[in-house]
Amino acid sequence: MDELISKLKKLVSTSDKIVAFTGAGFSAESGISTFRGAGGLWSKYDPSIYADINYFVKDPSYYWSFIRDERYPVLKKAKPNDGHYALVELEKRGILYRVITQNIDGFHQIAGSSDVIELHGNSRNVFCMECDKTYTMEEVNKKLEEELPPRCSCGGILKPDTVLFGEPLPQYALDMATLAAKKCDMFLVLGSSLVVYPAASMPRIAKKNDASLVIINIDPTPLDNIADIVINESASKVLSTVVEGG
Ligand SMILES: [Zn+2]
């Protein structure tokens, strides 16, 4: 382990255009539950009912009950962790080019990262599907105490700026992320199992454009075989150790 960490330190010190790609595993240290795998939220809530746009359009109350019971209580309590702050430190040193995230919790921004591409949208903004009026999480939380699904003052159904299953990823974010993968000199995967698109394709793009590829994830990923360094550990822990050491 120590050997891998010093190898990673060396690689970080010779890179000046690092792209960090964060997944659910990166927020896990903040107490945000992951979705996939044993104990993940999808083992408790069938995503085709609780998180799919086609079902949402039919009956949004399932989705909103999931948000009310599982997401908002956690998001309200949770905070960015050492890993998020380590990325802010890399940005201060001028060697972090972009953060690309699959997470919707907004912790990168709360920690202070200024350049974050959110592939799956975010849970901060909620909008009315009829009139586009926007609401904050706090406002919606209040509504949720009274009605399910929460509605706009116009009567329309509210939906967060989060990408549900069956919805396309925001094109602008996708374009920005692809460009970042092409231009970086190190693609640093942090807590993503790299199984869903576009997570599965971004590291390949970076690698094809001569970047080094580092994967830090608790479990092995399908792209470990093309990575320069693989560390099967908590990504936020490893990253904060690497950055602390200077
Ligand atoms: Zn409305």
Side-chain angles (χ1 to χ4, degrees):
M1 181 55 57
D2 288 352
E3 206 175 296
L4 282 174
I5 289 194
S6 40
K7 198 176 162 196
L8 177 56
K9 268 187 192 169
K10 206 176 271 174
L11 195 56
V12 167
S13 71
T14 56
S15 308
D16 60 6
K17 229 173 183 184
I18 301 173
V19 162
F21 184 98
T22 64
F26 199 64
S27 286
E29 296 279 308
S30 289
I32 302 283
S33 350
T34 52
F35 293 95
R36 288 162 206 285
L41 285 170
W42 299 150
S43 63
K44 205 166 148 195
Y45 294 88
D46 179 352
S48 67
I49 293 171
Y50 287 93
D52 191 289
I53 189 65
N54 298 304
Y55 207 93
F56 183 90
V57 171
K58 268 189 274 177
D59 185 354
S61 55
Y62 285 89
Y63 172 79
W64 277 114
S65 71
F66 167 67
I67 296 296
R68 182 192 61 191
D69 300 341
E70 295 285 350
R71 301 300 280 169
Y72 277 1
V74 175
L75 281 174
K76 246 195 326 199
K77 274 191 296 185
K79 288 190 188 78
N81 60 52
D82 291 349
H84 294 101
Y85 291 109
L87 288 177
V88 176
E89 173 59 28
L90 290 180
E91 182 178 334
K92 279 189 197 147
R93 292 181 197 169
I95 58 173
L96 186 81
Y97 179 45
R98 292 261 195 286
V99 176
I100 306 172
T101 188
Q102 297 174 287
N103 299 332
I104 55 173
D105 49 49
F107 286 165
H108 289 298
Q109 292 91 330
I110 296 171
S113 286
S114 58
D115 206 336
V116 183
I117 302 169
E118 296 178 305
L119 286 175
H120 294 174
N122 68 76
S123 50
R124 291 184 299 281
N125 306 322
V126 179
F127 66 95
C128 167
M129 292 177 85
E130 295 296 326
C131 75
D132 271 345
K133 183 173 174 189
T134 56
Y135 291 84
T136 63
M137 244 174 69
E138 289 73 29
E139 290 168 325
V140 179
N141 205 18
K142 228 174 257 162
K143 283 179 186 287
L144 276 171
E145 286 168 14
E146 285 150 25
E147 60 173 344
L148 199 67
R151 287 176 189 275
C152 175
S153 48
C154 82
I157 297 290
L158 300 183
K159 181 185 177 299
D161 248 337
T162 307
V163 177
L164 300 185
F165 288 101
E167 280 191 298
L169 298 183
Q171 192 58 47
Y172 179 70
L174 203 49
D175 291 346
M176 291 290 288
T178 308
L179 190 65
K182 279 183 186 160
K183 288 174 93 171
C184 68
D185 63 1
M186 179 199 278
F187 195 89
L188 178 58
V189 175
L190 299 164
S192 172
S193 47
L194 301 178
V195 284
V196 292
Y197 175 82
S201 65
M202 296 278 164
R204 283 186 205 281
I205 295 171
K207 195 74 192 158
K208 217 186 273 173
N209 287 272
D210 296 325
S212 56
L213 174 61
V214 177
I215 300 177
I216 311 175
N217 192 49
I218 290 277
D219 299 310
T221 79
L223 297 185
D224 288 358
N225 59 330
I226 61 163
D228 300 273
I229 300 176
V230 175
I231 304 179
N232 291 134
E233 251 283 6
S234 148
S236 43
K237 251 184 219 155
V238 170
L239 186 68
S240 53
T241 308
V242 166
V243 172
E244 247 169 46

